[in-house]
Structure formats: C-alpha cells, structure tokens
Amino acid sequence: MAKHRRQTAAVKRSIATASAIVAGATLVAPATADAAQVKVPNTGIATEIPGIENVPGIANVPGIDQWIPSLAGKADKNADVRSAIAAVKNVPGIQNVPGFNDWIKGVEAKYAPAAATEYRAATKAAAVAPAPQQSQGERIVAIAKSKIGSPYVYGAAGPNAFDCSGFTSWVYAQAGKQIPRTSGAQASAGRKVAISDLQPGDIVAYYGGASHVAIYAGNGQIIDALNSGTPVGYRPLNYMPIHSAVRF
C-alpha cells in the first residue's frame, strides 16, 4: 500500500511539471557550456543552442538580438553579413526554433539579391559574348588538317584520296570557294602574294612550271598531297623549290 502511494505521488509531480511548461509556453533545453539562449520574440519560448554565438559576424545580422539577446551591442562593422546568414542557418538545432527559419529567410532575401544579381549578370554576359570569328584562311587550314593521312592517288579530288591540286581544290570547295582544278591554273588565277606575306590558307606553287601546289598552314609549314606513297601531311614551306604563292 505504501508503495502504491509513492508511485501515485511521482505521477502527480510529473503531470504538474508538464503542465507548468505548457502554461508558460517555454521550450527548455539543458544548459550547455558555450551555448547561447535563443528566444522566440514576443513569446516565452526559449532554448539553448550550442556554438551559435561563435558564428563569425552573427551579431551583424539585422534583428538577431531579438532572437539572441546576448548579442546586443556586439556588431562588428567589418563583418560579412551574407556569410553570417549562410552560416547561422546551418547551426545544429536552430532549425527547431519555431519561426526562426522563416525569419532568417526574410533577412537573407534583403542581402542575397546583390550576390545573385552579380551572378546572373556575369552568366548573361558569358552567354551573349560572341564566339571568336574564324577567318577564311583558318577555316581552309582546318579543313586541310582534317584530311591529313589520306592517300595520294593521281587524278583524285577527294573526299578520301587526292592528288596535289585535287586536294587544294577540294579543300577550298568545302570552305565555299571554287578555284581551278589544276596546279598551273591555280597558280595563274589567284592574286599573287610575296612569300614574306604568306597567310594561312594561301596556295603555294612549286617547281618551274607550278606543277605542284600546297596549302600554307602557318608557322613555316604547308599541307599537301605530295606523291604516290606519301599521304596528305605537313611539310616545311621550303621542302621544294617555290614557284609562287597566290591568294583567292
């Protein structure tokens, strides 16, 4: 009987304690070293959040002292408010404080737009920046490079095998420019340019009768279909006796 009375008394004390917490609308957490008390404004709800006071710049978050009274008067004019807002959102336990998440989102909205606007402006600028224009000569060289390794076949004019003038005329055709088919005609039809003024894409003719042609690739090199047994490839500009150079 005595044991029953002791149990009844314990139950009554537990009920009384729970009732007091509800009546006072207080959220209670055990006191912790280095923890700051976070209070829900205009309520009696409060709890301890360990480490929240150590967030760099937290005292500079506008209105934070309404939630953490101990931060009043501790603002640092050099603090980064946006970084502090981002950090305080991730403090363990703060998400459980009623109303805090909505409040901090509202504060963040006043400070984050600047960063977001800068990002959007940079992204837009990158999106509308025009791509570098490829010159006609660069396009001709790029097309010629795409056929390096193709076999030499006398009389062939592509797309898989070439002789020298068949190669140059095919490359130019892919770039949208029609030029004569034979090496001699190419050397005669284009605008003469000095060897010292060569630009990528120019045609260089070789030997006394302009019997061989190649495409100047820049940096003292040509790309050509040389002869039987030698595939399309790079060679030095002066690999053979130069007859002339032309530009179309």
Side-chain angles (χ1 to χ4, degrees):
M1 190 67 177
K3 181 178 180 181
H4 178 73
R5 281 198 299 271
R6 285 196 298 271
Q7 289 176 337
T8 302
V11 170
K12 288 182 178 179
R13 284 196 298 272
S14 297
I15 294 172
T17 301
S19 299
I21 292 173
V22 173
T26 302
L27 176 66
V28 179
T32 306
D34 299 325
Q37 188 179 64
V38 179
K39 294 183 176 181
V40 180
N42 303 316
T43 73
I45 301 174
T47 188
E48 300 279 343
I49 301 293
I52 196 165
E53 279 193 323
N54 298 326
V55 172
I58 187 172
N60 284 64
V61 177
I64 193 68
D65 54 347
Q66 298 176 33
W67 293 83
I68 310 175
S70 61
L71 294 177
K74 294 184 179 180
D76 176 3
K77 64 180 181 180
N78 297 318
D80 184 342
V81 176
R82 285 204 294 265
S83 295
I85 291 171
V88 77
K89 287 166 59 181
N90 294 317
V91 173
I94 195 64
Q95 298 85 357
N96 298 326
V97 177
F100 186 87
N101 285 345
D102 291 337
W103 173 79
I104 198 68
K105 286 179 182 177
V107 175
E108 185 178 34
K110 297 178 182 179
Y111 285 86
T117 301
E118 292 169 6
Y119 173 78
R120 285 194 297 271
T123 303
K124 183 177 180 181
V128 300
Q133 291 293 323
Q134 189 179 46
S135 70
Q136 176 180 272
E138 290 171 334
R139 176 162 170 70
I140 289 170
V141 172
I143 295 168
K145 285 180 181 178
S146 73
K147 288 301 175 178
I148 287 176
S150 297
Y152 177 98
V153 175
Y154 182 76
N160 298 315
F162 307 90
D163 64 13
C164 68
S165 57
F167 175 67
T168 52
S169 60
W170 181 88
V171 169
Y172 267 72
Q174 307 317 298
K177 199 174 253 315
Q178 300 300 319
I179 65 173
R181 168 65 178 83
T182 65
S183 58
Q186 290 176 15
S188 299
R191 178 168 60 87
K192 301 289 184 184
V193 295
I195 298 302
S196 58
D197 293 331
L198 279 174
Q199 295 179 6
D202 290 344
I203 287 181
V204 183
Y206 290 91
Y207 299 110
S211 58
H212 182 73
V213 284
I215 292 174
Y216 183 62
N219 299 317
Q221 291 188 304
I222 58 169
I223 301 175
D224 70 347
L226 185 60
N227 54 37
S228 180
T230 305
V232 173
Y234 281 104
R235 270 159 276 282
L237 172 64
N238 296 311
Y239 188 75
M240 301 158 281
I242 296 176
H243 174 275
S244 59
V246 293
R247 185 172 298 153
F248 287 94

